[in-house]
Amino acid sequence: MKYRFDYLNVIALLMLMFVVCLGAAFAQSQETEPTIPFYRPALEVTPAFPVEGGDVTFTVRGYLDDGSYAFIAPNEAQIVFDDENDVTRVFLPFKVIKASEVGIQVLIDVEEKITVTGLPEGQYEAIATINGVVSDQKKFRVAPEGTPEPIDYSQFNLQIAMDPVMPAPGDEVTFYIIGAFPSAGYTVVDQRLDIMESLPEQIAARIYVDEPTGPDAQVITPFRVIAGKAVLSEGVHPLIGTVNDVVFFEGAFDVGGKVQPRPEPMVPDVKIVIEPEYPEAGEEFTVFVEGVFPSPGYFIAEKSMYMTRSIPAHVVVNLTVLPLEGIAPHDPMPFKEEVGTVALPTGAHPLRGFMNDVLFYEARLIVGEDEKPEFPIYKFGIEMLPPNPRPGEAFDVYAVGIFPTPGYVFTRKDLSVGESEPETLIAALQIEAPVGGQPEVEEPFREWIGTQTLDEGKYPVHAIVNNIMMYRATLTVGGDESPPNSEWITFQRSGGFTGWVQNLTVDMDRSALITSDSVIEANNRSGLVPQESFDRLSEIMETIDFSVLDSYYPKEVPIADGYVYEITVNRDQALLVEQGAMAPPEVADLVSVLERILDGRIDLDRRLDSESSVSNWSMY
């Protein structure tokens, strides 16, 4: 009987403990606050480079769920010094409260500022909290009074390039850092390549730059330096780039990856549109996707946009496009869909669009006044005479193009060779626009810039007009790579949203070379035109009689950001076609095939005797 009594006591005790625990859990659940209804919180510290004794403003931005909530800023910041880490923390405790039971059911834009005066020199960390939860934090340094403002490295438009761009395991890879100094007084004093022995290895390409010691001519000075060389194992390798230990690039590249045919996007001929077209630094602009659905049976199911943390930032647009079931294809349907808004610092920012995980658009987004053209120059370029100079042979350099009216004057013409690896041929021009009214008659020009001699090799050619980069190309001096009349068809596409110049050369042995003046992406590649596409090119060429064609086919109606196509056959017969022109069908077919090769919609077969340079790695 005693045993049964103890057993019942144990059962009763367990039941009591269960009830107590259940009640405590229920009470705790009743006290738990709901998720804070505040979206996309962001903290900004201004000025970017504060000095001791001055004002520092902390701005918190975001969106409230609806009008029934209120965002409450503290009266002052809480400043705490951390001896162990030698950093001062500035706590900014914000609150979100329920202000009323009824509110407008829309996102409410919120911005609150707190200003702190008289911070001493040192390292700081600003921490914004909302209802006790950290929402964002920023590190900054307060410099002694009189300290010059640090260099704004975003002006350098720094990028990392590799040779080969798609290495195999065991290949020696050369890492280049490419950019442009805002004036001639900057110098690269050191460069190195750091490799962390991990699996796969992690790579850091670094350069160290000295800024000018005195006033210098504000002329963009391109540079290209070798950070180092490395032999790497197979895998995807993290890659960062730094200038004076400040990160300007974060990404990855693939060693030993296989080139996969680029799939077609579900909806072809879609582009990304920016409004305004040339935003100011820090100005919000809107990103749209614009194109034509094959029929009304398609729709954009999801859309998003994000930016990388590199300098310059990469802007990436992602779309998911789906067809509606049960709708028969009929008339195409134009569309223009807003993706979002964003603000960026000054610079040339890579812009990419993906549709159903397929790349459909690549361009360069220019932010800041310095990149805007002051006046139009049509079909601007640089010519050399002779076009393929021999080593040590003097050659003349000319600027060619078309002014929109008479009256433009060249006030400066400089030709120099920049200290880079390889050396860069730089043509710097200053042009003054006419004063007063001018007849609206286009005026072609061919202006001699200077004479130069170079050793054998390949040299980047840059032309800068009124401190704006207007032209990029490559000059080959000597060598047997380009024997006379080796090209069967050369195809150049210029204009468009970015204004880039892209070139395609196709030889009779099916070999093809694609080059671009873009410094944002590794766009150069070579290979063999697939036999089926090469046969199609040959068939089209047999139907074209250049002797009866016009040399120029202008567009019928204005097209914003339209392309201009230049076709040359056997370095002799030339043809200029503008997008939207009423050209003969065989010419339109020729442009279509060449453009598909240039864009990668017709993939080049990889050569058996050389490495392809087709880009196959993520830049973000």
PDB file of all heavy atoms in Angstrom, residues 379-407:
ATOM      1  N   LYS A 379      30.003  59.534 -84.216  1.00  0.00           N
ATOM      2  CA  LYS A 379      30.924  58.588 -84.850  1.00  0.00           C
ATOM      3  C   LYS A 379      32.383  58.973 -84.591  1.00  0.00           C
ATOM      4  O   LYS A 379      33.229  58.915 -85.474  1.00  0.00           O
ATOM      5  CB  LYS A 379      30.657  58.509 -86.355  1.00  0.00           C
ATOM      6  CG  LYS A 379      29.234  58.063 -86.690  1.00  0.00           C
ATOM      7  CD  LYS A 379      28.938  58.154 -88.159  1.00  0.00           C
ATOM      8  CE  LYS A 379      27.468  57.849 -88.409  1.00  0.00           C
ATOM      9  NZ  LYS A 379      27.100  58.037 -89.826  1.00  0.00           N
ATOM     10  N   PHE A 380      32.652  59.345 -83.322  1.00  0.00           N
ATOM     11  CA  PHE A 380      34.007  59.756 -82.971  1.00  0.00           C
ATOM     12  C   PHE A 380      34.922  58.543 -82.920  1.00  0.00           C
ATOM     13  O   PHE A 380      34.548  57.465 -82.463  1.00  0.00           O
ATOM     14  CB  PHE A 380      34.000  60.459 -81.606  1.00  0.00           C
ATOM     15  CG  PHE A 380      35.364  60.890 -81.150  1.00  0.00           C
ATOM     16  CD1 PHE A 380      35.917  62.064 -81.615  1.00  0.00           C
ATOM     17  CD2 PHE A 380      36.094  60.112 -80.269  1.00  0.00           C
ATOM     18  CE1 PHE A 380      37.171  62.476 -81.198  1.00  0.00           C
ATOM     19  CE2 PHE A 380      37.348  60.510 -79.847  1.00  0.00           C
ATOM     20  CZ  PHE A 380      37.897  61.695 -80.316  1.00  0.00           C
ATOM     21  N   GLY A 381      36.142  58.723 -83.405  1.00  0.00           N
ATOM     22  CA  GLY A 381      37.107  57.635 -83.366  1.00  0.00           C
ATOM     23  C   GLY A 381      38.524  58.147 -83.555  1.00  0.00           C
ATOM     24  O   GLY A 381      38.758  59.344 -83.766  1.00  0.00           O
ATOM     25  N   ILE A 382      39.475  57.230 -83.432  1.00  0.00           N
ATOM     26  CA  ILE A 382      40.898  57.526 -83.621  1.00  0.00           C
ATOM     27  C   ILE A 382      41.414  56.659 -84.766  1.00  0.00           C
ATOM     28  O   ILE A 382      41.147  55.455 -84.808  1.00  0.00           O
ATOM     29  CB  ILE A 382      41.702  57.246 -82.337  1.00  0.00           C
ATOM     30  CG1 ILE A 382      41.261  58.177 -81.209  1.00  0.00           C
ATOM     31  CG2 ILE A 382      43.189  57.402 -82.583  1.00  0.00           C
ATOM     32  CD1 ILE A 382      41.565  59.641 -81.426  1.00  0.00           C
ATOM     33  N   GLU A 383      42.145  57.275 -85.687  1.00  0.00           N
ATOM     34  CA  GLU A 383      42.741  56.556 -86.821  1.00  0.00           C
ATOM     35  C   GLU A 383      44.251  56.705 -86.793  1.00  0.00           C
ATOM     36  O   GLU A 383      44.781  57.745 -86.388  1.00  0.00           O
ATOM     37  CB  GLU A 383      42.196  57.093 -88.146  1.00  0.00           C
ATOM     38  CG  GLU A 383      40.751  56.746 -88.412  1.00  0.00           C
ATOM     39  CD  GLU A 383      40.289  57.209 -89.780  1.00  0.00           C
ATOM     40  OE1 GLU A 383      41.097  57.870 -90.485  1.00  0.00           O
ATOM     41  OE2 GLU A 383      39.132  56.928 -90.149  1.00  0.00           O
ATOM     42  N   MET A 384      44.945  55.636 -87.221  1.00  0.00           N
ATOM     43  CA  MET A 384      46.394  55.660 -87.326  1.00  0.00           C
ATOM     44  C   MET A 384      46.777  55.526 -88.797  1.00  0.00           C
ATOM     45  O   MET A 384      46.130  54.805 -89.572  1.00  0.00           O
ATOM     46  CB  MET A 384      47.033  54.495 -86.541  1.00  0.00           C
ATOM     47  CG  MET A 384      47.094  54.727 -85.044  1.00  0.00           C
ATOM     48  SD  MET A 384      45.462  54.700 -84.282  1.00  0.00           S
ATOM     49  CE  MET A 384      45.897  54.663 -82.569  1.00  0.00           C
ATOM     50  N   LEU A 385      47.825  56.204 -89.193  1.00  0.00           N
ATOM     51  CA  LEU A 385      48.338  56.107 -90.566  1.00  0.00           C
ATOM     52  C   LEU A 385      49.841  55.932 -90.498  1.00  0.00           C
ATOM     53  O   LEU A 385      50.539  56.840 -90.028  1.00  0.00           O
ATOM     54  CB  LEU A 385      47.973  57.367 -91.368  1.00  0.00           C
ATOM     55  CG  LEU A 385      48.223  57.283 -92.867  1.00  0.00           C
ATOM     56  CD1 LEU A 385      47.310  56.250 -93.498  1.00  0.00           C
ATOM     57  CD2 LEU A 385      48.005  58.644 -93.521  1.00  0.00           C
ATOM     58  N   PRO A 386      50.393  54.758 -90.915  1.00  0.00           N
ATOM     59  CA  PRO A 386      49.679  53.588 -91.428  1.00  0.00           C
ATOM     60  C   PRO A 386      48.881  52.888 -90.319  1.00  0.00           C
ATOM     61  O   PRO A 386      49.236  53.007 -89.136  1.00  0.00           O
ATOM     62  CB  PRO A 386      50.805  52.697 -91.948  1.00  0.00           C
ATOM     63  CG  PRO A 386      51.986  53.084 -91.121  1.00  0.00           C
ATOM     64  CD  PRO A 386      51.841  54.548 -90.869  1.00  0.00           C
ATOM     65  N   PRO A 387      47.826  52.128 -90.700  1.00  0.00           N
ATOM     66  CA  PRO A 387      46.960  51.526 -89.676  1.00  0.00           C
ATOM     67  C   PRO A 387      47.635  50.414 -88.881  1.00  0.00           C
ATOM     68  O   PRO A 387      47.240  50.154 -87.751  1.00  0.00           O
ATOM     69  CB  PRO A 387      45.776  50.993 -90.488  1.00  0.00           C
ATOM     70  CG  PRO A 387      46.290  50.855 -91.879  1.00  0.00           C
ATOM     71  CD  PRO A 387      47.317  51.903 -92.056  1.00  0.00           C
ATOM     72  N   ASN A 388      48.624  49.728 -89.467  1.00  0.00           N
ATOM     73  CA  ASN A 388      49.355  48.659 -88.769  1.00  0.00           C
ATOM     74  C   ASN A 388      50.846  48.979 -88.808  1.00  0.00           C
ATOM     75  O   ASN A 388      51.611  48.412 -89.590  1.00  0.00           O
ATOM     76  CB  ASN A 388      49.088  47.300 -89.420  1.00  0.00           C
ATOM     77  CG  ASN A 388      47.629  46.923 -89.350  1.00  0.00           C
ATOM     78  OD1 ASN A 388      46.931  46.897 -90.355  1.00  0.00           O
ATOM     79  ND2 ASN A 388      47.139  46.644 -88.155  1.00  0.00           N
ATOM     80  N   PRO A 389      51.298  49.925 -87.960  1.00  0.00           N
ATOM     81  CA  PRO A 389      52.708  50.339 -88.028  1.00  0.00           C
ATOM     82  C   PRO A 389      53.658  49.225 -87.616  1.00  0.00           C
ATOM     83  O   PRO A 389      53.317  48.341 -86.832  1.00  0.00           O
ATOM     84  CB  PRO A 389      52.764  51.515 -87.057  1.00  0.00           C
ATOM     85  CG  PRO A 389      51.636  51.288 -86.108  1.00  0.00           C
ATOM     86  CD  PRO A 389      50.554  50.630 -86.908  1.00  0.00           C
ATOM     87  N   ARG A 390      54.888  49.315 -88.167  1.00  0.00           N
ATOM     88  CA  ARG A 390      55.942  48.380 -87.774  1.00  0.00           C
ATOM     89  C   ARG A 390      56.656  48.903 -86.536  1.00  0.00           C
ATOM     90  O   ARG A 390      56.610  50.106 -86.256  1.00  0.00           O
ATOM     91  CB  ARG A 390      56.937  48.197 -88.922  1.00  0.00           C
ATOM     92  CG  ARG A 390      56.345  47.518 -90.145  1.00  0.00           C
ATOM     93  CD  ARG A 390      57.440  47.195 -91.160  1.00  0.00           C
ATOM     94  NE  ARG A 390      58.073  48.406 -91.663  1.00  0.00           N
ATOM     95  CZ  ARG A 390      57.629  49.087 -92.715  1.00  0.00           C
ATOM     96  NH1 ARG A 390      56.563  48.671 -93.381  1.00  0.00           N
ATOM     97  NH2 ARG A 390      58.273  50.176 -93.128  1.00  0.00           N
ATOM     98  N   PRO A 391      57.333  48.035 -85.778  1.00  0.00           N
ATOM     99  CA  PRO A 391      58.048  48.493 -84.578  1.00  0.00           C
ATOM    100  C   PRO A 391      59.066  49.576 -84.941  1.00  0.00           C
ATOM    101  O   PRO A 391      59.829  49.429 -85.898  1.00  0.00           O
ATOM    102  CB  PRO A 391      58.731  47.222 -84.065  1.00  0.00           C
ATOM    103  CG  PRO A 391      57.887  46.105 -84.588  1.00  0.00           C
ATOM    104  CD  PRO A 391      57.386  46.565 -85.915  1.00  0.00           C
ATOM    105  N   GLY A 392      59.059  50.671 -84.213  1.00  0.00           N
ATOM    106  CA  GLY A 392      59.983  51.764 -84.468  1.00  0.00           C
ATOM    107  C   GLY A 392      59.584  52.686 -85.603  1.00  0.00           C
ATOM    108  O   GLY A 392      60.249  53.710 -85.822  1.00  0.00           O
ATOM    109  N   GLU A 393      58.504  52.358 -86.303  1.00  0.00           N
ATOM    110  CA  GLU A 393      58.056  53.192 -87.424  1.00  0.00           C
ATOM    111  C   GLU A 393      57.135  54.294 -86.909  1.00  0.00           C
ATOM    112  O   GLU A 393      56.230  54.044 -86.116  1.00  0.00           O
ATOM    113  CB  GLU A 393      57.308  52.335 -88.444  1.00  0.00           C
ATOM    114  CG  GLU A 393      56.706  53.130 -89.599  1.00  0.00           C
ATOM    115  CD  GLU A 393      55.825  52.278 -90.493  1.00  0.00           C
ATOM    116  OE1 GLU A 393      55.448  51.154 -90.073  1.00  0.00           O
ATOM    117  OE2 GLU A 393      55.513  52.727 -91.612  1.00  0.00           O
ATOM    118  N   ALA A 394      57.377  55.531 -87.397  1.00  0.00           N
ATOM    119  CA  ALA A 394      56.525  56.647 -86.992  1.00  0.00           C
ATOM    120  C   ALA A 394      55.149  56.521 -87.651  1.00  0.00           C
ATOM    121  O   ALA A 394      55.050  56.174 -88.825  1.00  0.00           O
ATOM    122  CB  ALA A 394      57.181  57.972 -87.365  1.00  0.00           C
ATOM    123  N   PHE A 395      54.117  56.789 -86.884  1.00  0.00           N
ATOM    124  CA  PHE A 395      52.768  56.791 -87.439  1.00  0.00           C
ATOM    125  C   PHE A 395      52.031  58.022 -86.944  1.00  0.00           C
ATOM    126  O   PHE A 395      52.317  58.552 -85.865  1.00  0.00           O
ATOM    127  CB  PHE A 395      52.001  55.510 -87.058  1.00  0.00           C
ATOM    128  CG  PHE A 395      51.860  55.277 -85.586  1.00  0.00           C
ATOM    129  CD1 PHE A 395      50.762  55.766 -84.887  1.00  0.00           C
ATOM    130  CD2 PHE A 395      52.831  54.566 -84.887  1.00  0.00           C
ATOM    131  CE1 PHE A 395      50.628  55.553 -83.516  1.00  0.00           C
ATOM    132  CE2 PHE A 395      52.704  54.353 -83.520  1.00  0.00           C
ATOM    133  CZ  PHE A 395      51.600  54.846 -82.838  1.00  0.00           C
ATOM    134  N   ASP A 396      51.105  58.513 -87.756  1.00  0.00           N
ATOM    135  CA  ASP A 396      50.312  59.688 -87.419  1.00  0.00           C
ATOM    136  C   ASP A 396      48.991  59.263 -86.779  1.00  0.00           C
ATOM    137  O   ASP A 396      48.403  58.246 -87.169  1.00  0.00           O
ATOM    138  CB  ASP A 396      50.032  60.528 -88.662  1.00  0.00           C
ATOM    139  CG  ASP A 396      51.290  61.175 -89.217  1.00  0.00           C
ATOM    140  OD1 ASP A 396      52.015  61.795 -88.429  1.00  0.00           O
ATOM    141  OD2 ASP A 396      51.553  61.038 -90.432  1.00  0.00           O
ATOM    142  N   VAL A 397      48.528  60.060 -85.846  1.00  0.00           N
ATOM    143  CA  VAL A 397      47.280  59.789 -85.138  1.00  0.00           C
ATOM    144  C   VAL A 397      46.294  60.907 -85.452  1.00  0.00           C
ATOM    145  O   VAL A 397      46.620  62.099 -85.328  1.00  0.00           O
ATOM    146  CB  VAL A 397      47.515  59.686 -83.623  1.00  0.00           C
ATOM    147  CG1 VAL A 397      46.205  59.392 -82.896  1.00  0.00           C
ATOM    148  CG2 VAL A 397      48.548  58.593 -83.317  1.00  0.00           C
ATOM    149  N   TYR A 398      45.074  60.532 -85.860  1.00  0.00           N
ATOM    150  CA  TYR A 398      44.042  61.491 -86.233  1.00  0.00           C
ATOM    151  C   TYR A 398      42.787  61.240 -85.385  1.00  0.00           C
ATOM    152  O   TYR A 398      42.473  60.090 -85.044  1.00  0.00           O
ATOM    153  CB  TYR A 398      43.657  61.354 -87.706  1.00  0.00           C
ATOM    154  CG  TYR A 398      44.761  61.709 -88.679  1.00  0.00           C
ATOM    155  CD1 TYR A 398      45.700  60.762 -89.057  1.00  0.00           C
ATOM    156  CD2 TYR A 398      44.847  62.994 -89.219  1.00  0.00           C
ATOM    157  CE1 TYR A 398      46.713  61.077 -89.951  1.00  0.00           C
ATOM    158  CE2 TYR A 398      45.855  63.317 -90.112  1.00  0.00           C
ATOM    159  CZ  TYR A 398      46.784  62.365 -90.476  1.00  0.00           C
ATOM    160  OH  TYR A 398      47.782  62.676 -91.369  1.00  0.00           O
ATOM    161  N   ALA A 399      42.067  62.319 -85.079  1.00  0.00           N
ATOM    162  CA  ALA A 399      40.723  62.222 -84.494  1.00  0.00           C
ATOM    163  C   ALA A 399      39.717  62.443 -85.610  1.00  0.00           C
ATOM    164  O   ALA A 399      39.847  63.397 -86.386  1.00  0.00           O
ATOM    165  CB  ALA A 399      40.531  63.262 -83.400  1.00  0.00           C
ATOM    166  N   VAL A 400      38.738  61.552 -85.710  1.00  0.00           N
ATOM    167  CA  VAL A 400      37.741  61.656 -86.767  1.00  0.00           C
ATOM    168  C   VAL A 400      36.354  61.638 -86.149  1.00  0.00           C
ATOM    169  O   VAL A 400      36.149  61.101 -85.058  1.00  0.00           O
ATOM    170  CB  VAL A 400      37.880  60.516 -87.802  1.00  0.00           C
ATOM    171  CG1 VAL A 400      39.212  60.569 -88.497  1.00  0.00           C
ATOM    172  CG2 VAL A 400      37.685  59.157 -87.132  1.00  0.00           C
ATOM    173  N   GLY A 401      35.402  62.216 -86.830  1.00  0.00           N
ATOM    174  CA  GLY A 401      34.029  62.229 -86.347  1.00  0.00           C
ATOM    175  C   GLY A 401      33.209  63.255 -87.087  1.00  0.00           C
ATOM    176  O   GLY A 401      33.618  63.778 -88.135  1.00  0.00           O
ATOM    177  N   ILE A 402      32.054  63.581 -86.528  1.00  0.00           N
ATOM    178  CA  ILE A 402      31.139  64.541 -87.144  1.00  0.00           C
ATOM    179  C   ILE A 402      30.609  65.467 -86.058  1.00  0.00           C
ATOM    180  O   ILE A 402      30.060  65.004 -85.051  1.00  0.00           O
ATOM    181  CB  ILE A 402      29.957  63.827 -87.841  1.00  0.00           C
ATOM    182  CG1 ILE A 402      30.464  62.856 -88.912  1.00  0.00           C
ATOM    183  CG2 ILE A 402      28.999  64.845 -88.455  1.00  0.00           C
ATOM    184  CD1 ILE A 402      29.365  62.014 -89.523  1.00  0.00           C
ATOM    185  N   PHE A 403      30.773  66.787 -86.267  1.00  0.00           N
ATOM    186  CA  PHE A 403      30.148  67.764 -85.388  1.00  0.00           C
ATOM    187  C   PHE A 403      28.722  68.012 -85.857  1.00  0.00           C
ATOM    188  O   PHE A 403      28.437  67.956 -87.060  1.00  0.00           O
ATOM    189  CB  PHE A 403      30.925  69.079 -85.403  1.00  0.00           C
ATOM    190  CG  PHE A 403      32.253  69.013 -84.714  1.00  0.00           C
ATOM    191  CD1 PHE A 403      33.411  69.469 -85.338  1.00  0.00           C
ATOM    192  CD2 PHE A 403      32.356  68.508 -83.429  1.00  0.00           C
ATOM    193  CE1 PHE A 403      34.638  69.417 -84.702  1.00  0.00           C
ATOM    194  CE2 PHE A 403      33.581  68.445 -82.784  1.00  0.00           C
ATOM    195  CZ  PHE A 403      34.719  68.901 -83.423  1.00  0.00           C
ATOM    196  N   PRO A 404      27.799  68.321 -84.931  1.00  0.00           N
ATOM    197  CA  PRO A 404      26.411  68.545 -85.351  1.00  0.00           C
ATOM    198  C   PRO A 404      26.213  69.822 -86.159  1.00  0.00           C
ATOM    199  O   PRO A 404      25.265  69.945 -86.923  1.00  0.00           O
ATOM    200  CB  PRO A 404      25.646  68.604 -84.028  1.00  0.00           C
ATOM    201  CG  PRO A 404      26.670  68.992 -83.020  1.00  0.00           C
ATOM    202  CD  PRO A 404      27.953  68.394 -83.478  1.00  0.00           C
ATOM    203  N   THR A 405      27.122  70.812 -85.965  1.00  0.00           N
ATOM    204  CA  THR A 405      27.055  72.065 -86.723  1.00  0.00           C
ATOM    205  C   THR A 405      28.478  72.546 -86.983  1.00  0.00           C
ATOM    206  O   THR A 405      29.426  72.076 -86.336  1.00  0.00           O
ATOM    207  CB  THR A 405      26.302  73.160 -85.940  1.00  0.00           C
ATOM    208  OG1 THR A 405      27.103  73.576 -84.823  1.00  0.00           O
ATOM    209  CG2 THR A 405      24.949  72.681 -85.450  1.00  0.00           C
ATOM    210  N   PRO A 406      28.664  73.505 -87.887  1.00  0.00           N
ATOM    211  CA  PRO A 406      29.983  74.151 -88.006  1.00  0.00           C
ATOM    212  C   PRO A 406      30.283  74.976 -86.757  1.00  0.00           C
ATOM    213  O   PRO A 406      29.410  75.203 -85.913  1.00  0.00           O
ATOM    214  CB  PRO A 406      29.821  75.039 -89.252  1.00  0.00           C
ATOM    215  CG  PRO A 406      28.611  74.535 -89.958  1.00  0.00           C
ATOM    216  CD  PRO A 406      27.716  73.954 -88.903  1.00  0.00           C
ATOM    217  N   GLY A 407      31.517  75.458 -86.653  1.00  0.00           N
ATOM    218  CA  GLY A 407      31.870  76.387 -85.582  1.00  0.00           C
ATOM    219  C   GLY A 407      32.616  75.799 -84.418  1.00  0.00           C
ATOM    220  O   GLY A 407      33.072  76.538 -83.542  1.00  0.00           O
TER     221      GLY A 407
END
